[in-house]
Amino acid sequence: MKEIEFDLKNNPFYNFLSSRYSMSARLNVEKMWNYSKENDLSFFTLSLAALINSLNEIPEMRRRIVNGKVIEYDYLDAVCPIMDEDSGIYKEMRVKAPQRFDEILDWHDYVQEHERKILNGTEDAFEVKTTERDELNIANFSCIPWVDFDSITNCTASSNQIQPLITWGKVNEDYEMTVAITVSHIFVNGRELAYFYQFAQDNFNNLF
């Protein structure tokens, strides 16, 4: 990470009641959906890769406020809930960014194994207080695969929370899937959101 010059004091959104805002848009995921089914791969895991990659392409998404200073991380890892379907118990896992692997299939297998070990108790789940997460090089990802939703709201831990929250839903019969993202207006404007969706669509089309 590195400290960058950024005028927080005069940022128009820094002292808002909340600087958080959200956007939802549909992506076409037909190519990745078919690839995952044909090759016995996890569509959830591949979707996670596409969305992490897209977020990490945008410097503004990687910025945080630490001790009153603006820093920019080199990359963000993903934190996401996983569920034991038999017990209905949720846990969280933190996974390394795909950029840290030479091959995307190696990353896919690493995530699958990490998830399996957390759910069977042989590895620890991710546990960090909500108030402490905003200073880490992480973003929160969550999938609601049972609902083809149009938009969604997210919880806000604090008015100046920075960490991006990304949620994606069920793939419909037209191979469209809603991806929602919540960000801080302190760093992220509409242009960066447009870049995120542009990169995401490219990743869903060309991850392999």
Side-chain angles (χ1 to χ4, degrees):
M1 67 179 182
K2 61 184 178 183
E3 183 180 345
I4 65 171
E5 291 187 11
F6 191 93
D7 188 0
L8 278 176
K9 181 179 179 181
N10 293 310
N11 182 273
F13 302 104
Y14 187 63
N15 292 313
F16 271 33
L17 180 63
S18 175
S19 63
R20 305 286 279 170
Y21 73 114
S22 303
M23 179 177 285
S24 299
R26 290 183 179 273
L27 300 176
N28 183 287
V29 298
E30 181 175 6
K31 188 172 181 179
M32 182 181 287
W33 177 271
N34 290 333
Y35 186 89
S36 67
K37 301 308 176 186
E38 291 166 1
N39 294 276
D40 195 27
L41 299 170
S42 166
F43 178 75
F44 165 81
T45 301
L46 297 182
S47 297
L48 183 60
L51 296 170
I52 299 174
N53 284 347
S54 303
L55 205 68
N56 276 323
E57 287 281 350
I58 304 167
E60 290 82 357
M61 300 286 190
R62 295 185 267 109
R63 291 176 184 172
R64 300 291 184 270
I65 301 172
V66 179
N67 297 324
K69 298 180 180 179
V70 176
I71 63 168
E72 187 177 292
Y73 284 108
D74 296 330
Y75 60 85
L76 302 178
D77 290 339
V79 171
C80 58
I82 51 177
M83 184 181 73
D84 184 328
E85 295 191 8
D86 293 330
S87 65
I89 294 175
Y90 285 89
K91 296 183 179 181
E92 281 192 302
M93 67 174 179
R94 175 175 178 167
V95 298
K96 300 174 184 177
Q99 290 92 330
R100 299 167 67 180
F101 288 71
D102 292 330
E103 298 291 339
I104 193 64
L105 290 180
D106 291 339
W107 181 86
H108 171 279
D109 293 345
Y110 145 75
V111 174
Q112 291 283 287
E113 181 70 3
H114 187 43
E115 179 179 352
R116 184 186 66 79
K117 288 182 176 179
I118 289 174
L119 290 178
N120 69 23
T122 57
E123 285 187 5
D124 293 333
F126 177 77
E127 293 186 19
V128 173
K129 292 180 180 179
T130 302
T131 54
E132 297 175 0
R133 296 184 180 206
D134 216 41
E135 296 184 357
L136 303 177
N137 64 320
I138 58 174
N140 187 275
F141 295 80
S142 183
C143 181
I144 305 178
W146 311 279
V147 183
D148 177 22
F149 62 84
D150 289 319
S151 63
I152 192 170
T153 59
N154 281 299
C155 301
T156 300
S158 65
S159 60
N160 281 336
Q161 184 182 357
I162 305 298
Q163 178 189 209
L165 306 176
I166 297 92
T167 307
W168 67 105
K170 180 180 180 180
V171 178
N172 67 22
E173 60 185 11
D174 295 320
Y175 296 100
E176 292 181 337
M177 184 181 79
T178 297
V179 175
I181 182 168
T182 299
V183 294
S184 171
H185 219 334
I186 294 172
F187 296 127
V188 181
N189 296 310
R191 179 179 62 177
E192 286 76 46
L193 288 177
Y195 287 154
F196 170 75
Y197 285 107
Q198 175 186 330
F199 294 145
Q201 185 62 75
D202 185 65
N203 268 272
F204 275 101
N205 288 341
N206 302 300
L207 187 64
F208 296 94

